[in-house]
Amino acid sequence: MNIHSKELIGLPVHTRSGLAIGKVASLDVDMDTGRIAAFYVKSGNLVTGLLADELMVSWASVIELTSDALIVADNTVPAGATLLAKAG
């Protein structure tokens, strides 16, 4: 299955356990391989100031990429941010 890069921007990002992190803001492509190297996620539910405005997610942290969402490993988000996001 192919997905156009325009469809990736704004795609919701969740951890495997279901915590909403935010939305894909941009991505890096490895010029040597032509593959996605990292996604930059604009934080949504995470506490402002605890993380930078964007969280870099390496391709190695991606569990699943569908047309509906980008699912990443639970340890992608720092533990403190996860606890505060759940409380909020």
Short mmCIF file of all heavy atoms in Angstrom, two decimals, residues 7-15 19-25 41-42 64-72:
data_model
loop_
_atom_site.label_atom_id
_atom_site.label_comp_id
_atom_site.label_asym_id
_atom_site.label_seq_id
_atom_site.Cartn_x
_atom_site.Cartn_y
_atom_site.Cartn_z
N GLU A 7 -0.81 13.07 2.80
CA GLU A 7 -1.72 12.37 3.71
C GLU A 7 -1.06 12.10 5.06
O GLU A 7 -1.75 11.87 6.05
CB GLU A 7 -2.17 11.06 3.08
CG GLU A 7 -3.00 11.25 1.83
CD GLU A 7 -3.32 9.93 1.16
OE1 GLU A 7 -4.20 9.21 1.69
OE2 GLU A 7 -2.68 9.62 0.15
N LEU A 8 0.27 12.12 5.11
CA LEU A 8 0.98 11.88 6.37
C LEU A 8 0.91 13.09 7.29
O LEU A 8 0.81 12.95 8.50
CB LEU A 8 2.44 11.52 6.10
CG LEU A 8 2.68 10.16 5.46
CD1 LEU A 8 4.16 10.01 5.11
CD2 LEU A 8 2.23 9.05 6.38
N ILE A 9 0.97 14.29 6.71
CA ILE A 9 0.92 15.52 7.50
C ILE A 9 -0.47 15.64 8.13
O ILE A 9 -1.48 15.56 7.45
CB ILE A 9 1.25 16.76 6.65
CG1 ILE A 9 2.59 16.59 5.94
CG2 ILE A 9 1.21 18.02 7.51
CD1 ILE A 9 3.77 16.31 6.85
N GLY A 10 -0.50 15.78 9.44
CA GLY A 10 -1.78 15.86 10.16
C GLY A 10 -2.30 14.51 10.65
O GLY A 10 -3.32 14.46 11.34
N LEU A 11 -1.60 13.44 10.29
CA LEU A 11 -2.02 12.10 10.72
C LEU A 11 -1.90 11.98 12.24
O LEU A 11 -0.88 12.35 12.81
CB LEU A 11 -1.12 11.06 10.04
CG LEU A 11 -1.55 9.60 10.08
CD1 LEU A 11 -2.85 9.41 9.28
CD2 LEU A 11 -0.45 8.73 9.51
N PRO A 12 -2.93 11.49 12.92
CA PRO A 12 -2.86 11.32 14.38
C PRO A 12 -1.75 10.34 14.77
O PRO A 12 -1.53 9.34 14.07
CB PRO A 12 -4.22 10.76 14.76
CG PRO A 12 -5.11 11.05 13.60
CD PRO A 12 -4.23 11.09 12.39
N VAL A 13 -1.10 10.62 15.90
CA VAL A 13 -0.03 9.75 16.40
C VAL A 13 -0.41 9.29 17.81
O VAL A 13 -0.78 10.11 18.65
CB VAL A 13 1.32 10.50 16.44
CG1 VAL A 13 2.43 9.58 16.94
CG2 VAL A 13 1.67 11.06 15.07
N HIS A 14 -0.35 7.97 18.01
CA HIS A 14 -0.69 7.35 19.30
C HIS A 14 0.41 6.39 19.70
O HIS A 14 1.09 5.84 18.85
CB HIS A 14 -2.00 6.54 19.20
CG HIS A 14 -3.15 7.32 18.70
ND1 HIS A 14 -3.94 8.09 19.52
CD2 HIS A 14 -3.68 7.45 17.45
CE1 HIS A 14 -4.89 8.66 18.80
NE2 HIS A 14 -4.75 8.29 17.54
N THR A 15 0.53 6.15 20.99
CA THR A 15 1.42 5.09 21.45
C THR A 15 0.69 3.77 21.31
O THR A 15 -0.54 3.74 21.14
CB THR A 15 1.84 5.29 22.92
OG1 THR A 15 0.66 5.25 23.73
CG2 THR A 15 2.60 6.58 23.12
N LEU A 19 -2.19 6.18 24.10
CA LEU A 19 -2.02 7.57 24.48
C LEU A 19 -1.87 8.44 23.23
O LEU A 19 -1.00 8.19 22.40
CB LEU A 19 -0.78 7.75 25.37
CG LEU A 19 -0.46 9.17 25.80
CD1 LEU A 19 -1.54 9.72 26.72
CD2 LEU A 19 0.89 9.22 26.47
N ALA A 20 -2.74 9.42 23.07
CA ALA A 20 -2.66 10.33 21.92
C ALA A 20 -1.49 11.29 22.15
O ALA A 20 -1.44 11.99 23.16
CB ALA A 20 -3.95 11.10 21.77
N ILE A 21 -0.55 11.32 21.21
CA ILE A 21 0.62 12.19 21.33
C ILE A 21 0.40 13.50 20.59
O ILE A 21 0.76 14.56 21.08
CB ILE A 21 1.87 11.49 20.77
CG1 ILE A 21 2.19 10.24 21.57
CG2 ILE A 21 3.05 12.45 20.76
CD1 ILE A 21 3.33 9.45 20.99
N GLY A 22 -0.17 13.44 19.41
CA GLY A 22 -0.38 14.63 18.60
C GLY A 22 -0.58 14.25 17.16
O GLY A 22 -1.18 13.21 16.86
N LYS A 23 -0.05 15.08 16.25
CA LYS A 23 -0.20 14.83 14.82
C LYS A 23 1.14 15.02 14.11
O LYS A 23 1.97 15.82 14.55
CB LYS A 23 -1.23 15.78 14.23
CG LYS A 23 -2.61 15.56 14.81
CD LYS A 23 -3.63 16.43 14.16
CE LYS A 23 -4.99 16.10 14.78
NZ LYS A 23 -6.08 16.65 14.07
N VAL A 24 1.32 14.28 13.03
CA VAL A 24 2.54 14.41 12.23
C VAL A 24 2.61 15.81 11.66
O VAL A 24 1.67 16.28 11.01
CB VAL A 24 2.58 13.36 11.09
CG1 VAL A 24 3.77 13.60 10.18
CG2 VAL A 24 2.59 11.95 11.64
N ALA A 25 3.73 16.51 11.93
CA ALA A 25 3.93 17.86 11.43
C ALA A 25 4.84 17.86 10.21
O ALA A 25 4.64 18.64 9.27
CB ALA A 25 4.52 18.75 12.51
N VAL A 41 6.41 15.18 15.40
CA VAL A 41 5.03 15.16 15.87
C VAL A 41 4.76 16.42 16.67
O VAL A 41 5.45 16.72 17.64
CB VAL A 41 4.77 13.91 16.75
CG1 VAL A 41 3.34 13.90 17.26
CG2 VAL A 41 5.08 12.64 15.96
N LYS A 42 3.75 17.16 16.25
CA LYS A 42 3.30 18.34 16.99
C LYS A 42 2.48 17.83 18.16
O LYS A 42 1.48 17.14 17.97
CB LYS A 42 2.46 19.23 16.07
CG LYS A 42 1.97 20.49 16.69
CD LYS A 42 2.99 21.57 16.53
CE LYS A 42 2.39 22.89 16.98
NZ LYS A 42 3.38 23.80 17.41
N GLU A 64 3.42 0.82 13.74
CA GLU A 64 2.51 0.64 12.60
C GLU A 64 2.19 2.00 11.98
O GLU A 64 2.02 2.99 12.68
CB GLU A 64 1.23 -0.03 13.09
CG GLU A 64 0.24 -0.35 12.00
CD GLU A 64 -1.00 -1.08 12.53
OE1 GLU A 64 -1.17 -1.19 13.75
OE2 GLU A 64 -1.80 -1.51 11.69
N LEU A 65 2.10 2.01 10.68
CA LEU A 65 1.70 3.20 9.94
C LEU A 65 0.54 2.81 9.04
O LEU A 65 0.68 1.92 8.18
CB LEU A 65 2.86 3.75 9.10
CG LEU A 65 2.56 4.89 8.14
CD1 LEU A 65 2.04 6.11 8.90
CD2 LEU A 65 3.80 5.25 7.34
N THR A 66 -0.62 3.43 9.28
CA THR A 66 -1.79 3.16 8.46
C THR A 66 -2.31 4.49 7.92
O THR A 66 -1.81 5.55 8.28
CB THR A 66 -2.91 2.47 9.27
OG1 THR A 66 -3.46 3.41 10.20
CG2 THR A 66 -2.41 1.25 10.00
N SER A 67 -3.34 4.44 7.11
CA SER A 67 -3.93 5.69 6.61
C SER A 67 -4.70 6.41 7.71
O SER A 67 -5.07 7.57 7.55
CB SER A 67 -4.84 5.40 5.42
OG SER A 67 -5.86 4.48 5.78
N ASP A 68 -4.93 5.74 8.85
CA ASP A 68 -5.68 6.33 9.96
C ASP A 68 -4.81 6.89 11.07
O ASP A 68 -5.21 7.82 11.76
CB ASP A 68 -6.63 5.30 10.57
CG ASP A 68 -7.70 4.85 9.60
OD1 ASP A 68 -8.18 5.68 8.80
OD2 ASP A 68 -8.05 3.66 9.63
N ALA A 69 -3.62 6.32 11.28
CA ALA A 69 -2.78 6.75 12.41
C ALA A 69 -1.36 6.21 12.30
O ALA A 69 -1.11 5.22 11.61
CB ALA A 69 -3.38 6.29 13.73
N LEU A 70 -0.47 6.87 13.02
CA LEU A 70 0.90 6.42 13.20
C LEU A 70 0.98 5.92 14.64
O LEU A 70 0.69 6.67 15.58
CB LEU A 70 1.88 7.58 12.99
CG LEU A 70 3.35 7.29 13.24
CD1 LEU A 70 3.89 6.29 12.22
CD2 LEU A 70 4.16 8.57 13.19
N ILE A 71 1.31 4.64 14.81
CA ILE A 71 1.39 4.04 16.14
C ILE A 71 2.87 3.87 16.48
O ILE A 71 3.62 3.29 15.69
CB ILE A 71 0.69 2.66 16.18
CG1 ILE A 71 -0.72 2.73 15.58
CG2 ILE A 71 0.69 2.11 17.60
CD1 ILE A 71 -1.66 3.68 16.26
N VAL A 72 3.26 4.38 17.65
CA VAL A 72 4.66 4.33 18.05
C VAL A 72 4.81 3.58 19.37
O VAL A 72 3.84 3.37 20.10
CB VAL A 72 5.25 5.75 18.19
CG1 VAL A 72 5.18 6.49 16.85
CG2 VAL A 72 4.56 6.56 19.26
#
